Amino acid sequence: MSDTKFISFNPGPSQLYPEIEQDIRQAIEEHFLSLSHRSEKLGEVVQRAKNNLRSYFSIPVDYRIFFVSSAVEAMEIALRNLCAQKSFHFINGAFARRFFNSAQQTKKNPVHLTAEEGKSFVFEQVKIPTDCDLVCLTQNETSTGVRLLYGFIEKVRKGHPDKLIAADIVSSAATERTLFELADFWFFSVQKACGLPSGLGVIIASKKALSKAKVQAAHGADIGAHHSLLSLDEFGQKNQTPATPNMLAIYLLGKRFERLIKTGIEAVEKETIEKANLLYKWLDYHATLKPFVNNSADRSFTVVPVVLPEGTTAKSVQEALKSHNMAVGSGYGTFKDSQIRIANFPQHTKKDIERLLEALDRL
Amino acid sequence: MSDTKFISFNPGPSQLYPEIEQDIRQAIEEHFLSLSHRSEKLGEVVQRAKNNLRSYFSIPVDYRIFFVSSAVEAMEIALRNLCAQKSFHFINGAFARRFFNSAQQTKKNPVHLTAEEGKSFVFEQVKIPTDCDLVCLTQNETSTGVRLLYGFIEKVRKGHPDKLIAADIVSSAATERTLFELADFWFFSVQKACGLPSGLGVIIASKKALSKAKVQAAHGADIGAHHSLLSLDEFGQKNQTPATPNMLAIYLLGKRFERLIKTGIEAVEKETIEKANLLYKWLDYHATLKPFVNNSADRSFTVVPVVLPEGTTAKSVQEALKSHNMAVGSGYGTFKDSQIRIANFPQHTKKDIERLLEALDRL
């Protein structure tokens, strides 16, 4: 098997998209990486990336796209710019908890509702204090593989029209249709379902989000210096960024989505769900491996945590898969040893998934 | 001429280092970009980059190295972590002013001393208010080409042993010996003298800087969430970063400095000064082109702004150089049209500089 091509099912950084080498070569040949970050050509590349994202995702006209350095940075930007009082956090895993911790560090006196590990929330139990002006949620938890239903987010939205909502779509972005109107601030990073090298975060923010940042700045609040929503927007209007960005990543992002547009997000979503069904069906009937998320409605399509039988460690599975030229992620946090996580992104074909399941069956 | 290789003298992003394509290919072949950012291998690559920087720069043992996303981000980190009262800013150009603006945005009530454009400071005129606990300076101004003498920085240091000093070495780092003991927080980005693609900033911070951050955090100050000095240090101890970093850039940085170590910083410095002398000598005797910085002691070795004769615009010079397969930077800010800027970095050989001067002479 070791002569077949290497493939990584790590949830992120994950498998790179197939044409990446040729795209990097082209960037170097065009001398793109030696251009001024204030040059016209860079502006064109930023615009191409934004246009392609907008087209692929069907981003509404009143939402703007910004480039930052990571999803974790985006959390801090959301908190500084959109929260004037207190933030409320739906915690369904380690990344949602990270968002909550960022709120503590930026002095937002955050409040939280924490779900049982591997489970989602019951809407009827949700009580968001009136003095919370920002609601933070993780639509697809990369640590636990718990996915929030858009129906749930819609209920939160409708129940709290006065509050802004920030949503982490780090590991679902590009794999399914995002219902942008249900939140004001969406963010993801590119080393997961986009198949790019790490080092770029993407924010998609509503007009309402920008207005809130403006009001806060006018009141003298600290909304951040180099990457406030306002500085991002000021430079973004010129297709620039406040600081010299990861130009290679923006270049590659534009190229990647140029190709994804041809497939279309509906087709990608359909294929993603088909591959997810394949994975979960296999898991549900497996003799020793079990899915971590039991309720099928809460299961992430793109990050599948698998509970290993006692005596088997993630490390041993990863080691065994090496000889098959494949990689999976370990479990996250306290599940580091007792689980593996399998990514199901657009760069993973159905054949790739089948190859992985076959190998896992033979271990 | 157009069949000769392309070379960029843009101050940044600048010419890439020669072996970059082979290094990127190797990173992809090793599947490095699909590895978990918490993996052992990533830790080794982070450590290699830090070790090579430490060795090349002779960084003192009590200074730590951190990776962030840009130099402008580093300014914000310095201000949030090292300034409890007020910051003082030596403004010798647009990037020093940017540092000052960041201090306003992070509510540090900054105070400044601003030099005449193209000139440096007179130490005898420096008065730093006692309630300023952080002094910010730009050792090599990329906009004006004004370099601060280390003798000047030493006098500031000795005159104010109670204050911390943060120093921007964005466009001089790697080209000359940095006297680390003279400040507590040094920072640069990699798309200038390191010859890398943009998207990575490097911070070199003293123990005193880390202690100050700790004291501030203990007092409940907002020192930043995802990239406070403390979170950078917590993860840095494990050769990790708080968020998924620009892994490709860290990989390339290690490779780049592995080679630079073989030359040694003394030899690089010697060559840099020789090339700078070549440039300034040519300029001093030129019929129509003039150096922007008149006092030779204040002239940057690495960024040379050139005043164009009336009627000649930066754009026309850049356009004319295109046919010679070369690029230079435009002037900065108000000098955008009336100046060009020539970078003199380690990836620019003496031959490259001669080729540029020859072409400029023929325009």
Side-chain angles (χ1 to χ4, degrees):
Chain A
M1 285 289 278
S2 64
D3 53 352
T4 55
K5 67 161 184 154
F6 169 84
I7 184 140
S8 169
F9 296 93
N10 192 42
S14 193
Q15 180 65 25
L16 298 176
Y17 72 88
E19 305 88 351
I20 191 159
E21 279 193 76
Q22 96 191 40
D23 288 347
I24 292 178
R25 207 176 310 122
Q26 198 184 338
I28 293 177
E29 276 166 16
E30 288 173 5
H31 312 304
F32 173 72
L33 301 173
S34 302
L35 284 178
S36 164
H37 58 294
R38 302 288 175 230
S39 64
E40 247 173 72
K41 172 75 184 160
L42 193 262
E44 286 165 21
V45 167
V46 168
Q47 185 163 32
R48 177 180 72 190
K50 291 201 286 189
N51 286 351
N52 289 351
L53 286 173
R54 191 174 289 283
S55 160
Y56 178 75
F57 279 92
S58 295
I59 297 173
V61 285
D62 55 338
Y63 281 66
R64 294 199 180 144
I65 303 167
F66 304 117
F67 297 120
V68 295
S69 66
S70 69
V72 181
E73 186 191 10
M75 292 178 186
E76 183 164 347
I77 294 170
L79 290 159
R80 289 197 190 281
N81 286 268
L82 308 184
C83 181
Q85 294 170 270
K86 281 183 181 179
S87 57
F88 180 88
H89 298 257
F90 286 102
I91 300 186
N92 50 340
F95 293 95
R97 192 166 295 115
R98 183 80 185 260
F99 209 163
F100 176 79
N101 291 340
S102 286
Q104 293 181 308
Q105 287 160 336
T106 50
K107 316 294 169 191
K108 299 296 180 187
N109 304 304
V111 177
H112 67 98
L113 175 68
T114 298
E116 255 182 86
E117 298 269 23
K119 294 198 174 158
S120 190
F121 307 94
V122 180
F123 181 74
E124 286 64 33
Q125 294 169 0
V126 174
K127 276 193 194 75
I128 305 177
T130 48
D131 60 348
C132 290
D133 54 344
L134 176 67
V135 175
C136 302
L137 56 87
T138 308
Q139 184 258 335
N140 196 69
E141 241 301 342
T142 315
S143 66
T144 55
V146 171
R147 180 176 181 272
L148 299 192
L149 294 173
Y150 274 108
F152 174 83
I153 302 175
E154 193 176 4
K155 281 190 216 161
V156 173
R157 182 69 154 183
K158 288 200 170 149
H160 305 278
D162 56 317
K163 302 185 195 310
L164 294 185
I165 298 181
D168 176 337
I169 47 169
V170 161
S171 50
S172 64
T175 67
E176 59 174 6
R177 281 164 291 183
T178 304
L179 303 186
F180 289 101
E181 286 83 357
L182 297 186
D184 302 285
F185 186 101
W186 301 83
F187 61 94
F188 62 94
S189 48
V190 301
Q191 74 274 16
K192 297 179 190 283
C194 303
L196 260 73
S198 58
L200 189 73
V202 179
I203 291 171
I204 296 155
S206 71
K207 261 195 182 157
K208 234 170 116 186
L210 281 158
S211 301
K212 179 85 175 252
K214 252 175 234 162
V215 170
Q216 279 221 80
H219 282 80
D222 172 3
I223 59 168
H226 78 298
H227 274 176
S228 74
L229 264 193
L230 299 188
S231 71
L232 286 164
D233 191 44
E234 184 197 332
F235 284 90
Q237 306 261 8
K238 301 176 279 185
N239 288 313
Q240 293 184 0
T241 50
T244 316
N246 185 338
M247 283 167 51
L248 177 60
I250 295 175
Y251 181 96
L252 296 175
L253 195 71
K255 289 276 190 186
R256 171 63 171 151
F257 278 88
E258 205 167 281
R259 295 194 189 88
L260 278 175
I261 285 168
K262 286 175 194 152
T263 314
I265 199 165
E266 290 84 0
V268 169
E269 179 180 292
K270 190 166 165 275
E271 208 190 301
T272 302
I273 295 174
E274 276 170 15
K275 290 183 294 164
N277 287 340
L278 183 72
L279 266 159
Y280 283 113
K281 204 174 153 189
W282 171 81
L283 261 183
D284 281 333
Y285 290 95
H286 202 279
T288 54
L289 302 174
K290 298 286 160 221
F292 180 52
V293 180
N294 285 313
N295 185 2
S296 65
D298 300 334
R299 287 174 176 174
S300 165
F301 301 143
T302 53
V303 180
V304 181
V306 177
V307 181
L308 301 173
E310 221 157 304
T312 304
T313 64
K315 216 164 188 166
S316 70
V317 176
Q318 289 174 315
E319 209 47 54
L321 282 174
K322 260 189 197 167
S323 62
H324 294 270
N325 227 351
M326 285 186 278
V328 293
S330 62
Y332 200 93
T334 48
F335 303 114
K336 192 178 180 348
D337 292 330
S338 61
Q339 297 185 7
I340 56 168
R341 285 175 304 152
I342 301 170
N344 169 31
F345 294 145
Q347 62 270 37
H348 300 116
T349 64
K350 198 181 160 201
K351 268 219 164 87
D352 293 332
I353 302 272
E354 285 168 344
R355 190 179 132 199
L356 173 68
L357 300 189
E358 214 172 284
L360 285 171
D361 270 332
R362 270 195 269 157
L363 295 188
Chain B
M1 287 287 278
S2 64
D3 53 351
T4 56
K5 67 162 183 152
F6 169 84
I7 184 140
S8 169
F9 296 92
N10 192 41
S14 192
Q15 180 64 25
L16 298 176
Y17 72 88
E19 305 87 352
I20 191 159
E21 279 192 78
Q22 95 191 41
D23 288 347
I24 292 178
R25 207 175 312 122
Q26 198 184 336
I28 293 177
E29 276 166 16
E30 288 173 5
H31 313 304
F32 173 72
L33 301 173
S34 302
L35 285 179
S36 164
H37 59 295
R38 301 287 175 232
S39 65
E40 249 174 71
K41 172 76 184 159
L42 194 262
E44 287 165 21
V45 167
V46 168
Q47 186 163 31
R48 177 180 73 190
K50 291 201 285 190
N51 286 350
N52 289 350
L53 286 173
R54 191 174 290 282
S55 161
Y56 178 76
F57 279 93
S58 295
I59 297 173
V61 284
D62 55 337
Y63 280 66
R64 295 199 180 143
I65 303 167
F66 304 117
F67 297 120
V68 295
S69 67
S70 69
V72 181
E73 186 191 9
M75 292 179 186
E76 183 163 347
I77 294 170
L79 291 159
R80 289 196 190 281
N81 286 268
L82 309 183
C83 182
Q85 294 170 271
K86 281 183 182 180
S87 57
F88 181 88
H89 297 257
F90 286 102
I91 301 186
N92 50 341
F95 292 95
R97 191 166 294 115
R98 183 80 185 261
F99 209 163
F100 176 79
N101 291 340
S102 286
Q104 292 181 309
Q105 286 160 335
T106 50
K107 316 294 169 191
K108 299 296 180 187
N109 304 304
V111 177
H112 67 98
L113 175 67
T114 298
E116 255 182 85
E117 298 269 23
K119 294 199 173 156
S120 189
F121 307 95
V122 180
F123 180 73
E124 286 63 34
Q125 294 170 0
V126 175
K127 277 194 194 74
I128 304 178
T130 48
D131 60 347
C132 290
D133 54 344
L134 176 67
V135 175
C136 302
L137 56 87
T138 308
Q139 184 259 335
N140 196 69
E141 241 301 341
T142 315
S143 66
T144 55
V146 172
R147 179 176 180 272
L148 298 193
L149 294 174
Y150 274 108
F152 174 82
I153 302 174
E154 193 176 4
K155 281 191 217 163
V156 173
R157 182 69 153 181
K158 288 199 170 150
H160 304 277
D162 56 316
K163 302 184 195 309
L164 294 185
I165 298 181
D168 176 338
I169 47 170
V170 161
S171 50
S172 64
T175 67
E176 60 173 7
R177 281 165 291 183
T178 304
L179 303 185
F180 289 102
E181 286 83 357
L182 297 185
D184 302 284
F185 186 101
W186 301 84
F187 62 93
F188 62 94
S189 48
V190 301
Q191 73 274 16
K192 297 180 190 283
C194 303
L196 260 73
S198 58
L200 189 73
V202 179
I203 291 171
I204 296 155
S206 71
K207 262 195 182 158
K208 234 170 116 186
L210 281 158
S211 301
K212 178 84 175 252
K214 251 175 236 164
V215 170
Q216 279 221 81
H219 282 80
D222 173 3
I223 59 169
H226 78 298
H227 274 176
S228 74
L229 265 193
L230 300 188
S231 71
L232 286 164
D233 191 44
E234 184 197 332
F235 284 90
Q237 306 261 7
K238 301 176 279 185
N239 288 314
Q240 293 185 1
T241 50
T244 316
N246 184 338
M247 284 167 50
L248 177 60
I250 295 175
Y251 181 96
L252 296 175
L253 195 70
K255 289 277 190 185
R256 171 63 171 151
F257 278 89
E258 206 168 280
R259 295 194 189 89
L260 278 176
I261 285 168
K262 287 176 193 152
T263 314
I265 199 166
E266 291 83 0
V268 169
E269 178 180 292
K270 190 166 165 275
E271 208 190 301
T272 302
I273 295 174
E274 277 170 16
K275 290 183 294 165
N277 286 340
L278 183 73
L279 267 159
Y280 284 113
K281 204 173 154 189
W282 171 82
L283 261 184
D284 281 334
Y285 291 95
H286 202 279
T288 53
L289 302 174
K290 299 286 159 220
F292 180 52
V293 180
N294 285 313
N295 185 2
S296 64
D298 300 333
R299 286 174 176 173
S300 165
F301 300 142
T302 53
V303 180
V304 180
V306 176
V307 181
L308 301 172
E310 221 156 304
T312 305
T313 63
K315 216 164 188 167
S316 70
V317 176
Q318 289 174 315
E319 209 47 55
L321 282 173
K322 261 189 196 167
S323 61
H324 295 269
N325 227 352
M326 285 185 278
V328 294
S330 62
Y332 200 92
T334 48
F335 304 114
K336 193 178 181 345
D337 292 330
S338 61
Q339 297 185 7
I340 56 168
R341 285 175 304 151
I342 301 170
N344 170 30
F345 293 145
Q347 61 270 36
H348 300 116
T349 65
K350 198 180 160 201
K351 268 218 165 89
D352 293 332
I353 302 272
E354 286 168 345
R355 189 179 134 199
L356 173 68
L357 301 188
E358 214 171 283
L360 285 172
D361 270 332
R362 269 194 270 157
L363 294 189

